[in-house]
Amino acid sequence: SQQGEEDPQALSIQEGENATMNCSYKTSINNLQWYRQNSGRGLVHLILIRSNEREKHSGRLRVTLDTSKKSSSLLITASRAADTASYFCATLIQGAQKLVFGQGTRLTINP
Amino acid sequence: NAGVMQNPRHLVRRRGQEARLRCSPVKGHSHVYWYRQLPEEGLKFMVYLQKENIIDESGMPKERFSAEFPKEGPSILRIQQVVRGDSAAYFCASSPFRGAQTVTGELFFGEGSRLTVL
C-alpha cells in the first residue's frame, strides 16, 4: 500500500484563493518532500521538511509536519493560474534510501 | 548546467519487443533512481543504482526488467518482451549523495520516457 496518501485527490479553486493539500503516511520518516508535476512533464522539487521540524516556508508555500499524526500539509497562498499542476508528497522512510511518493493532488486554478 | 536527460521521450513498441530507456544524470551525480508512473497515478519506485552497483531493486519486477548504471555512460532501464501493461511513463531521477539524505534531500527528475506498447 502507498506510504503517502494525498487528500483531496482533486482540488479546483479560483485564482487568488489559497490551496491546501494534505498528506498522510504510515511509517517513521527522516524527511518529507513536496513535488510539483505539470501535465506531461517531470517532477520539480518544491520544499523539504525534516522530521524534527514543524513548519517551513518558501515564498508562497507553507508546509507543516505533524509526526504524531503522521501527516503534512502544503499551503499555496494567493494561487495563480500557473500553479495548476499535480502535487505529490514523498517520504524518506527511516532506514531506506528511496523516496516513496503518494498518489498526488490535482490542483486546478481557475482564472 | 544540464539537468537529468532522458531519451527517448516517447517510445512505441509492439508486444514482445524490447524497450531500452536511457538516463543521463545531472553532471556530478552518482546516484540514479527509476520510477514508473501510470496515468493519473503517483510514482512507483523501481530501482536505485550507484555507479556499477544496484543498491535497491525491490520495486522492479523480477522478470523482463533490468537496470544498469555503468562507470561510463548513461543509466539504462531495459524491458524485454514488453506487454501492454508496461505502457507507462518512466522517470529517472538523480541525487549527488547517498540515497536522498543530502542537505536538501531533493531528487532531480528528468522529463520522462513515455512507453506505449501496441
Side-chain angles (χ1 to χ4, degrees), chain B residues 27-55:
Chain B
K27 187 176 181 181
H29 288 191
S30 56
H31 303 264
V32 164
Y33 299 76
W34 285 93
Y35 287 84
R36 177 164 66 178
Q37 184 179 38
L38 295 172
E40 307 300 321
E41 293 190 8
L43 276 70
K44 298 285 176 57
F45 169 81
M46 298 183 72
V47 62
Y48 162 43
L49 311 103
Q50 295 176 21
K51 286 280 187 181
E52 301 183 279
N53 285 307
I54 297 175
I55 305 303

PDB file of all heavy atoms in Angstrom, chain B residues 27-55:
ATOM      1  N   LYS B  27      25.226  16.328 -14.060  1.00  0.00           N
ATOM      2  CA  LYS B  27      26.681  16.164 -14.023  1.00  0.00           C
ATOM      3  C   LYS B  27      27.163  16.163 -12.586  1.00  0.00           C
ATOM      4  O   LYS B  27      26.829  17.049 -11.791  1.00  0.00           O
ATOM      5  CB  LYS B  27      27.343  17.314 -14.797  1.00  0.00           C
ATOM      6  CG  LYS B  27      28.839  17.131 -14.966  1.00  0.00           C
ATOM      7  CD  LYS B  27      29.420  18.240 -15.826  1.00  0.00           C
ATOM      8  CE  LYS B  27      30.922  18.039 -16.010  1.00  0.00           C
ATOM      9  NZ  LYS B  27      31.538  19.112 -16.832  1.00  0.00           N
ATOM     10  N   GLY B  28      27.928  15.143 -12.242  1.00  0.00           N
ATOM     11  CA  GLY B  28      28.443  15.039 -10.886  1.00  0.00           C
ATOM     12  C   GLY B  28      27.599  14.178  -9.969  1.00  0.00           C
ATOM     13  O   GLY B  28      28.028  13.813  -8.877  1.00  0.00           O
ATOM     14  N   HIS B  29      26.379  13.871 -10.389  1.00  0.00           N
ATOM     15  CA  HIS B  29      25.530  12.990  -9.580  1.00  0.00           C
ATOM     16  C   HIS B  29      25.896  11.545  -9.868  1.00  0.00           C
ATOM     17  O   HIS B  29      26.002  11.147 -11.022  1.00  0.00           O
ATOM     18  CB  HIS B  29      24.052  13.222  -9.903  1.00  0.00           C
ATOM     19  CG  HIS B  29      23.520  14.505  -9.385  1.00  0.00           C
ATOM     20  ND1 HIS B  29      22.172  14.790  -9.383  1.00  0.00           N
ATOM     21  CD2 HIS B  29      24.130  15.570  -8.825  1.00  0.00           C
ATOM     22  CE1 HIS B  29      21.985  15.984  -8.857  1.00  0.00           C
ATOM     23  NE2 HIS B  29      23.165  16.483  -8.524  1.00  0.00           N
ATOM     24  N   SER B  30      25.997  10.760  -8.810  1.00  0.00           N
ATOM     25  CA  SER B  30      26.396   9.369  -8.997  1.00  0.00           C
ATOM     26  C   SER B  30      25.321   8.388  -8.549  1.00  0.00           C
ATOM     27  O   SER B  30      25.580   7.185  -8.474  1.00  0.00           O
ATOM     28  CB  SER B  30      27.689   9.088  -8.228  1.00  0.00           C
ATOM     29  OG  SER B  30      27.530   9.416  -6.861  1.00  0.00           O
ATOM     30  N   HIS B  31      24.130   8.910  -8.236  1.00  0.00           N
ATOM     31  CA  HIS B  31      23.044   8.052  -7.779  1.00  0.00           C
ATOM     32  C   HIS B  31      21.832   8.282  -8.670  1.00  0.00           C
ATOM     33  O   HIS B  31      21.448   9.426  -8.924  1.00  0.00           O
ATOM     34  CB  HIS B  31      22.690   8.375  -6.325  1.00  0.00           C
ATOM     35  CG  HIS B  31      23.854   8.254  -5.403  1.00  0.00           C
ATOM     36  ND1 HIS B  31      24.094   7.112  -4.669  1.00  0.00           N
ATOM     37  CD2 HIS B  31      24.856   9.106  -5.116  1.00  0.00           C
ATOM     38  CE1 HIS B  31      25.202   7.282  -3.963  1.00  0.00           C
ATOM     39  NE2 HIS B  31      25.680   8.467  -4.205  1.00  0.00           N
ATOM     40  N   VAL B  32      21.258   7.199  -9.121  1.00  0.00           N
ATOM     41  CA  VAL B  32      20.140   7.270 -10.059  1.00  0.00           C
ATOM     42  C   VAL B  32      18.980   6.420  -9.562  1.00  0.00           C
ATOM     43  O   VAL B  32      19.178   5.316  -9.049  1.00  0.00           O
ATOM     44  CB  VAL B  32      20.588   6.781 -11.464  1.00  0.00           C
ATOM     45  CG1 VAL B  32      19.384   6.475 -12.345  1.00  0.00           C
ATOM     46  CG2 VAL B  32      21.456   7.839 -12.137  1.00  0.00           C
ATOM     47  N   TYR B  33      17.797   6.957  -9.713  1.00  0.00           N
ATOM     48  CA  TYR B  33      16.570   6.251  -9.361  1.00  0.00           C
ATOM     49  C   TYR B  33      15.704   6.150 -10.612  1.00  0.00           C
ATOM     50  O   TYR B  33      15.644   7.083 -11.412  1.00  0.00           O
ATOM     51  CB  TYR B  33      15.774   7.011  -8.297  1.00  0.00           C
ATOM     52  CG  TYR B  33      16.485   7.206  -6.983  1.00  0.00           C
ATOM     53  CD1 TYR B  33      17.488   8.161  -6.830  1.00  0.00           C
ATOM     54  CD2 TYR B  33      16.143   6.432  -5.872  1.00  0.00           C
ATOM     55  CE1 TYR B  33      18.125   8.337  -5.620  1.00  0.00           C
ATOM     56  CE2 TYR B  33      16.778   6.605  -4.651  1.00  0.00           C
ATOM     57  CZ  TYR B  33      17.767   7.560  -4.542  1.00  0.00           C
ATOM     58  OH  TYR B  33      18.408   7.729  -3.341  1.00  0.00           O
ATOM     59  N   TRP B  34      14.977   5.052 -10.728  1.00  0.00           N
ATOM     60  CA  TRP B  34      13.957   4.915 -11.762  1.00  0.00           C
ATOM     61  C   TRP B  34      12.602   4.734 -11.095  1.00  0.00           C
ATOM     62  O   TRP B  34      12.454   3.953 -10.148  1.00  0.00           O
ATOM     63  CB  TRP B  34      14.249   3.712 -12.658  1.00  0.00           C
ATOM     64  CG  TRP B  34      15.361   3.921 -13.635  1.00  0.00           C
ATOM     65  CD1 TRP B  34      16.683   3.604 -13.464  1.00  0.00           C
ATOM     66  CD2 TRP B  34      15.269   4.468 -14.952  1.00  0.00           C
ATOM     67  NE1 TRP B  34      17.403   3.935 -14.594  1.00  0.00           N
ATOM     68  CE2 TRP B  34      16.551   4.461 -15.522  1.00  0.00           C
ATOM     69  CE3 TRP B  34      14.202   4.964 -15.725  1.00  0.00           C
ATOM     70  CZ2 TRP B  34      16.821   4.924 -16.809  1.00  0.00           C
ATOM     71  CZ3 TRP B  34      14.460   5.422 -17.009  1.00  0.00           C
ATOM     72  CH2 TRP B  34      15.753   5.401 -17.536  1.00  0.00           C
ATOM     73  N   TYR B  35      11.627   5.464 -11.618  1.00  0.00           N
ATOM     74  CA  TYR B  35      10.247   5.378 -11.149  1.00  0.00           C
ATOM     75  C   TYR B  35       9.336   5.150 -12.348  1.00  0.00           C
ATOM     76  O   TYR B  35       9.624   5.580 -13.464  1.00  0.00           O
ATOM     77  CB  TYR B  35       9.807   6.671 -10.452  1.00  0.00           C
ATOM     78  CG  TYR B  35      10.388   6.896  -9.084  1.00  0.00           C
ATOM     79  CD1 TYR B  35      11.652   7.464  -8.922  1.00  0.00           C
ATOM     80  CD2 TYR B  35       9.670   6.562  -7.935  1.00  0.00           C
ATOM     81  CE1 TYR B  35      12.182   7.683  -7.657  1.00  0.00           C
ATOM     82  CE2 TYR B  35      10.184   6.786  -6.660  1.00  0.00           C
ATOM     83  CZ  TYR B  35      11.446   7.348  -6.540  1.00  0.00           C
ATOM     84  OH  TYR B  35      11.959   7.559  -5.277  1.00  0.00           O
ATOM     85  N   ARG B  36       8.189   4.505 -12.091  1.00  0.00           N
ATOM     86  CA  ARG B  36       7.184   4.311 -13.135  1.00  0.00           C
ATOM     87  C   ARG B  36       5.910   5.025 -12.710  1.00  0.00           C
ATOM     88  O   ARG B  36       5.529   4.984 -11.531  1.00  0.00           O
ATOM     89  CB  ARG B  36       6.916   2.812 -13.335  1.00  0.00           C
ATOM     90  CG  ARG B  36       5.830   2.525 -14.351  1.00  0.00           C
ATOM     91  CD  ARG B  36       5.847   1.096 -14.817  1.00  0.00           C
ATOM     92  NE  ARG B  36       5.513   0.149 -13.775  1.00  0.00           N
ATOM     93  CZ  ARG B  36       5.427  -1.164 -13.964  1.00  0.00           C
ATOM     94  NH1 ARG B  36       5.664  -1.676 -15.174  1.00  0.00           N
ATOM     95  NH2 ARG B  36       5.116  -1.962 -12.973  1.00  0.00           N
ATOM     96  N   GLN B  37       5.266   5.650 -13.676  1.00  0.00           N
ATOM     97  CA  GLN B  37       4.020   6.359 -13.397  1.00  0.00           C
ATOM     98  C   GLN B  37       2.961   5.963 -14.403  1.00  0.00           C
ATOM     99  O   GLN B  37       3.149   6.137 -15.616  1.00  0.00           O
ATOM    100  CB  GLN B  37       4.222   7.874 -13.429  1.00  0.00           C
ATOM    101  CG  GLN B  37       2.977   8.663 -13.043  1.00  0.00           C
ATOM    102  CD  GLN B  37       3.202  10.159 -13.063  1.00  0.00           C
ATOM    103  OE1 GLN B  37       3.906  10.678 -13.923  1.00  0.00           O
ATOM    104  NE2 GLN B  37       2.602  10.870 -12.105  1.00  0.00           N
ATOM    105  N   LEU B  38       1.856   5.445 -13.887  1.00  0.00           N
ATOM    106  CA  LEU B  38       0.702   5.163 -14.731  1.00  0.00           C
ATOM    107  C   LEU B  38      -0.155   6.432 -14.804  1.00  0.00           C
ATOM    108  O   LEU B  38      -0.079   7.286 -13.900  1.00  0.00           O
ATOM    109  CB  LEU B  38      -0.103   3.996 -14.169  1.00  0.00           C
ATOM    110  CG  LEU B  38       0.637   2.653 -14.174  1.00  0.00           C
ATOM    111  CD1 LEU B  38      -0.161   1.602 -13.426  1.00  0.00           C
ATOM    112  CD2 LEU B  38       0.904   2.200 -15.595  1.00  0.00           C
ATOM    113  N   PRO B  39      -0.985   6.585 -15.837  1.00  0.00           N
ATOM    114  CA  PRO B  39      -1.805   7.795 -15.968  1.00  0.00           C
ATOM    115  C   PRO B  39      -2.613   8.077 -14.707  1.00  0.00           C
ATOM    116  O   PRO B  39      -3.220   7.162 -14.128  1.00  0.00           O
ATOM    117  CB  PRO B  39      -2.710   7.464 -17.154  1.00  0.00           C
ATOM    118  CG  PRO B  39      -1.934   6.495 -17.969  1.00  0.00           C
ATOM    119  CD  PRO B  39      -1.168   5.665 -16.973  1.00  0.00           C
ATOM    120  N   GLU B  40      -2.607   9.328 -14.305  1.00  0.00           N
ATOM    121  CA  GLU B  40      -3.384   9.802 -13.154  1.00  0.00           C
ATOM    122  C   GLU B  40      -2.961   9.140 -11.839  1.00  0.00           C
ATOM    123  O   GLU B  40      -3.722   9.133 -10.875  1.00  0.00           O
ATOM    124  CB  GLU B  40      -4.887   9.561 -13.372  1.00  0.00           C
ATOM    125  CG  GLU B  40      -5.423  10.110 -14.674  1.00  0.00           C
ATOM    126  CD  GLU B  40      -5.247  11.612 -14.812  1.00  0.00           C
ATOM    127  OE1 GLU B  40      -5.434  12.312 -13.800  1.00  0.00           O
ATOM    128  OE2 GLU B  40      -4.922  12.094 -15.917  1.00  0.00           O
ATOM    129  N   GLU B  41      -1.766   8.596 -11.786  1.00  0.00           N
ATOM    130  CA  GLU B  41      -1.306   7.973 -10.541  1.00  0.00           C
ATOM    131  C   GLU B  41       0.027   8.573 -10.094  1.00  0.00           C
ATOM    132  O   GLU B  41       0.631   9.380 -10.794  1.00  0.00           O
ATOM    133  CB  GLU B  41      -1.163   6.459 -10.729  1.00  0.00           C
ATOM    134  CG  GLU B  41      -2.500   5.755 -10.941  1.00  0.00           C
ATOM    135  CD  GLU B  41      -2.359   4.248 -10.875  1.00  0.00           C
ATOM    136  OE1 GLU B  41      -1.279   3.761 -10.515  1.00  0.00           O
ATOM    137  OE2 GLU B  41      -3.354   3.564 -11.194  1.00  0.00           O
ATOM    138  N   GLY B  42       0.444   8.166  -8.915  1.00  0.00           N
ATOM    139  CA  GLY B  42       1.726   8.622  -8.404  1.00  0.00           C
ATOM    140  C   GLY B  42       2.873   7.817  -8.982  1.00  0.00           C
ATOM    141  O   GLY B  42       2.692   6.956  -9.833  1.00  0.00           O
ATOM    142  N   LEU B  43       4.069   8.122  -8.505  1.00  0.00           N
ATOM    143  CA  LEU B  43       5.264   7.430  -8.974  1.00  0.00           C
ATOM    144  C   LEU B  43       5.539   6.210  -8.106  1.00  0.00           C
ATOM    145  O   LEU B  43       5.512   6.286  -6.883  1.00  0.00           O
ATOM    146  CB  LEU B  43       6.471   8.361  -8.926  1.00  0.00           C
ATOM    147  CG  LEU B  43       6.664   9.277 -10.123  1.00  0.00           C
ATOM    148  CD1 LEU B  43       5.597  10.343 -10.163  1.00  0.00           C
ATOM    149  CD2 LEU B  43       8.053   9.887 -10.112  1.00  0.00           C
ATOM    150  N   LYS B  44       5.842   5.109  -8.768  1.00  0.00           N
ATOM    151  CA  LYS B  44       6.179   3.873  -8.068  1.00  0.00           C
ATOM    152  C   LYS B  44       7.679   3.612  -8.212  1.00  0.00           C
ATOM    153  O   LYS B  44       8.197   3.532  -9.329  1.00  0.00           O
ATOM    154  CB  LYS B  44       5.406   2.685  -8.646  1.00  0.00           C
ATOM    155  CG  LYS B  44       3.901   2.807  -8.499  1.00  0.00           C
ATOM    156  CD  LYS B  44       3.441   2.547  -7.088  1.00  0.00           C
ATOM    157  CE  LYS B  44       1.949   2.755  -6.897  1.00  0.00           C
ATOM    158  NZ  LYS B  44       1.126   1.937  -7.778  1.00  0.00           N
ATOM    159  N   PHE B  45       8.349   3.475  -7.096  1.00  0.00           N
ATOM    160  CA  PHE B  45       9.784   3.221  -7.096  1.00  0.00           C
ATOM    161  C   PHE B  45      10.085   1.894  -7.787  1.00  0.00           C
ATOM    162  O   PHE B  45       9.408   0.895  -7.569  1.00  0.00           O
ATOM    163  CB  PHE B  45      10.299   3.189  -5.661  1.00  0.00           C
ATOM    164  CG  PHE B  45      11.704   2.669  -5.533  1.00  0.00           C
ATOM    165  CD1 PHE B  45      12.790   3.481  -5.786  1.00  0.00           C
ATOM    166  CD2 PHE B  45      11.937   1.345  -5.155  1.00  0.00           C
ATOM    167  CE1 PHE B  45      14.086   3.005  -5.667  1.00  0.00           C
ATOM    168  CE2 PHE B  45      13.228   0.860  -5.032  1.00  0.00           C
ATOM    169  CZ  PHE B  45      14.303   1.692  -5.281  1.00  0.00           C
ATOM    170  N   MET B  46      11.123   1.908  -8.616  1.00  0.00           N
ATOM    171  CA  MET B  46      11.550   0.663  -9.260  1.00  0.00           C
ATOM    172  C   MET B  46      12.926   0.228  -8.772  1.00  0.00           C
ATOM    173  O   MET B  46      13.086  -0.856  -8.225  1.00  0.00           O
ATOM    174  CB  MET B  46      11.575   0.830 -10.783  1.00  0.00           C
ATOM    175  CG  MET B  46      10.223   1.146 -11.396  1.00  0.00           C
ATOM    176  SD  MET B  46      10.313   1.250 -13.179  1.00  0.00           S
ATOM    177  CE  MET B  46      10.529  -0.478 -13.618  1.00  0.00           C
ATOM    178  N   VAL B  47      13.921   1.112  -8.951  1.00  0.00           N
ATOM    179  CA  VAL B  47      15.284   0.699  -8.664  1.00  0.00           C
ATOM    180  C   VAL B  47      16.136   1.909  -8.347  1.00  0.00           C
ATOM    181  O   VAL B  47      15.887   3.017  -8.831  1.00  0.00           O
ATOM    182  CB  VAL B  47      15.855  -0.089  -9.876  1.00  0.00           C
ATOM    183  CG1 VAL B  47      15.907   0.785 -11.120  1.00  0.00           C
ATOM    184  CG2 VAL B  47      17.220  -0.687  -9.569  1.00  0.00           C
ATOM    185  N   TYR B  48      17.151   1.667  -7.484  1.00  0.00           N
ATOM    186  CA  TYR B  48      18.112   2.699  -7.105  1.00  0.00           C
ATOM    187  C   TYR B  48      19.506   2.161  -7.413  1.00  0.00           C
ATOM    188  O   TYR B  48      19.862   1.063  -6.971  1.00  0.00           O
ATOM    189  CB  TYR B  48      17.948   3.031  -5.633  1.00  0.00           C
ATOM    190  CG  TYR B  48      19.105   3.745  -4.965  1.00  0.00           C
ATOM    191  CD1 TYR B  48      19.775   4.791  -5.582  1.00  0.00           C
ATOM    192  CD2 TYR B  48      19.506   3.366  -3.682  1.00  0.00           C
ATOM    193  CE1 TYR B  48      20.825   5.440  -4.954  1.00  0.00           C
ATOM    194  CE2 TYR B  48      20.554   4.009  -3.043  1.00  0.00           C
ATOM    195  CZ  TYR B  48      21.216   5.049  -3.676  1.00  0.00           C
ATOM    196  OH  TYR B  48      22.256   5.693  -3.051  1.00  0.00           O
ATOM    197  N   LEU B  49      20.269   2.933  -8.171  1.00  0.00           N
ATOM    198  CA  LEU B  49      21.604   2.494  -8.577  1.00  0.00           C
ATOM    199  C   LEU B  49      22.642   3.548  -8.264  1.00  0.00           C
ATOM    200  O   LEU B  49      22.377   4.748  -8.318  1.00  0.00           O
ATOM    201  CB  LEU B  49      21.654   2.234 -10.091  1.00  0.00           C
ATOM    202  CG  LEU B  49      20.573   1.378 -10.725  1.00  0.00           C
ATOM    203  CD1 LEU B  49      19.553   2.228 -11.466  1.00  0.00           C
ATOM    204  CD2 LEU B  49      21.191   0.381 -11.687  1.00  0.00           C
ATOM    205  N   GLN B  50      23.813   3.067  -7.945  1.00  0.00           N
ATOM    206  CA  GLN B  50      25.009   3.886  -7.951  1.00  0.00           C
ATOM    207  C   GLN B  50      25.861   3.403  -9.113  1.00  0.00           C
ATOM    208  O   GLN B  50      25.570   2.390  -9.735  1.00  0.00           O
ATOM    209  CB  GLN B  50      25.769   3.751  -6.643  1.00  0.00           C
ATOM    210  CG  GLN B  50      25.026   4.270  -5.432  1.00  0.00           C
ATOM    211  CD  GLN B  50      25.788   4.024  -4.155  1.00  0.00           C
ATOM    212  OE1 GLN B  50      26.993   3.828  -4.161  1.00  0.00           O
ATOM    213  NE2 GLN B  50      25.072   4.022  -3.040  1.00  0.00           N
ATOM    214  N   LYS B  51      26.926   4.101  -9.375  1.00  0.00           N
ATOM    215  CA  LYS B  51      27.801   3.683 -10.472  1.00  0.00           C
ATOM    216  C   LYS B  51      28.204   2.220 -10.281  1.00  0.00           C
ATOM    217  O   LYS B  51      28.776   1.849  -9.254  1.00  0.00           O
ATOM    218  CB  LYS B  51      29.055   4.552 -10.491  1.00  0.00           C
ATOM    219  CG  LYS B  51      28.819   5.970 -11.002  1.00  0.00           C
ATOM    220  CD  LYS B  51      28.763   6.027 -12.500  1.00  0.00           C
ATOM    221  CE  LYS B  51      28.711   7.455 -13.003  1.00  0.00           C
ATOM    222  NZ  LYS B  51      28.626   7.507 -14.475  1.00  0.00           N
ATOM    223  N   GLU B  52      27.850   1.415 -11.261  1.00  0.00           N
ATOM    224  CA  GLU B  52      28.226  -0.012 -11.323  1.00  0.00           C
ATOM    225  C   GLU B  52      27.590  -0.866 -10.230  1.00  0.00           C
ATOM    226  O   GLU B  52      27.950  -2.045 -10.093  1.00  0.00           O
ATOM    227  CB  GLU B  52      29.753  -0.182 -11.282  1.00  0.00           C
ATOM    228  CG  GLU B  52      30.477   0.530 -12.419  1.00  0.00           C
ATOM    229  CD  GLU B  52      31.963   0.282 -12.407  1.00  0.00           C
ATOM    230  OE1 GLU B  52      32.672   0.953 -11.628  1.00  0.00           O
ATOM    231  OE2 GLU B  52      32.418  -0.599 -13.174  1.00  0.00           O
ATOM    232  N   ASN B  53      26.670  -0.322  -9.464  1.00  0.00           N
ATOM    233  CA  ASN B  53      26.033  -1.117  -8.406  1.00  0.00           C
ATOM    234  C   ASN B  53      24.524  -0.902  -8.376  1.00  0.00           C
ATOM    235  O   ASN B  53      24.052   0.225  -8.521  1.00  0.00           O
ATOM    236  CB  ASN B  53      26.586  -0.729  -7.028  1.00  0.00           C
ATOM    237  CG  ASN B  53      27.967  -1.276  -6.799  1.00  0.00           C
ATOM    238  OD1 ASN B  53      28.206  -2.473  -6.955  1.00  0.00           O
ATOM    239  ND2 ASN B  53      28.889  -0.398  -6.444  1.00  0.00           N
ATOM    240  N   ILE B  54      23.796  -1.961  -8.172  1.00  0.00           N
ATOM    241  CA  ILE B  54      22.365  -1.872  -7.895  1.00  0.00           C
ATOM    242  C   ILE B  54      22.206  -1.914  -6.379  1.00  0.00           C
ATOM    243  O   ILE B  54      22.599  -2.885  -5.730  1.00  0.00           O
ATOM    244  CB  ILE B  54      21.584  -3.022  -8.552  1.00  0.00           C
ATOM    245  CG1 ILE B  54      21.704  -2.950 -10.077  1.00  0.00           C
ATOM    246  CG2 ILE B  54      20.106  -2.964  -8.129  1.00  0.00           C
ATOM    247  CD1 ILE B  54      21.054  -4.122 -10.794  1.00  0.00           C
ATOM    248  N   ILE B  55      21.649  -0.843  -5.816  1.00  0.00           N
ATOM    249  CA  ILE B  55      21.541  -0.738  -4.367  1.00  0.00           C
ATOM    250  C   ILE B  55      20.201  -1.289  -3.879  1.00  0.00           C
ATOM    251  O   ILE B  55      20.136  -1.991  -2.881  1.00  0.00           O
ATOM    252  CB  ILE B  55      21.681   0.720  -3.903  1.00  0.00           C
ATOM    253  CG1 ILE B  55      22.987   1.320  -4.442  1.00  0.00           C
ATOM    254  CG2 ILE B  55      21.618   0.803  -2.383  1.00  0.00           C
ATOM    255  CD1 ILE B  55      24.235   0.552  -4.045  1.00  0.00           C
TER     256      ILE B  55
END
